[in-house]
Amino acid sequence: LRATKDMGKMLGGEEEKDPEVAKKKKEEEEERQEALRQQEEERKDKHRKMEAEREVVRQSIRDKYGLKKKEEKEAEEKAAMEQACEGSLTRAKKAIPAGCGDEDDEDEESILDTVLKFLPGRLQDMFKK
């Protein structure tokens, strides 16, 4: 009879319904959960300290080389854009690189003439009209 009860437990069957055993298991589970929470808090504290130390090192590097934080750069750029757009109802225009769109029409005609030179006589006449 004892062997069958043990086999039932091994196979995932019902355990003995002793209130003291159930209470003890519940307490053990609560202790385990509390230990996990405590470990997680300790881990987070450790990471916070490490990140603070890293930030000190980062700041010393920024000071040494005259660099700015990414957030500071973005804030300055945003402020510059807002200042440039002040009083405008539309969004800021993007800068157009030199040589894009400000070329003379004469250059375009010379390119067309160059292409026409390579076409047969009849096609040249058609495009010149």
Side-chain angles (χ1 to χ4, degrees), residues 12-65:
E14 294 282 327
E15 294 187 19
E16 295 179 22
K17 296 185 178 181
D18 188 9
E20 289 180 21
V21 172
K23 186 177 179 182
K24 187 176 179 183
K25 283 188 178 186
K26 186 176 179 182
E27 287 175 3
E28 288 175 358
E29 180 63 22
E30 288 174 1
E31 287 176 11
R32 189 181 73 80
Q33 291 294 329
E34 182 59 33
L36 287 174
R37 279 192 290 272
Q38 188 175 0
Q39 283 178 341
E40 184 66 18
E41 281 184 31
E42 289 171 1
R43 186 187 68 79
K44 285 182 180 180
D45 286 341
K46 176 183 169 186
H47 284 281
R48 266 190 236 112
K49 289 177 187 174
M50 287 172 45
E51 188 59 32
E53 291 171 6
R54 288 180 183 147
E55 187 57 36
V56 168
V57 172
R58 288 184 198 118
Q59 189 59 47
S60 67
I61 292 170
R62 282 189 213 105
D63 294 342
K64 181 177 178 181
Y65 295 105

Side-chain angles (χ1 to χ4, degrees), residues 15 18 59 64 87 93 99 104 108 112 115:
E15 294 187 19
D18 188 9
Q59 189 59 47
K64 181 177 178 181
K93 293 182 181 177
D104 295 334
E108 292 177 18
L112 184 61
V115 171

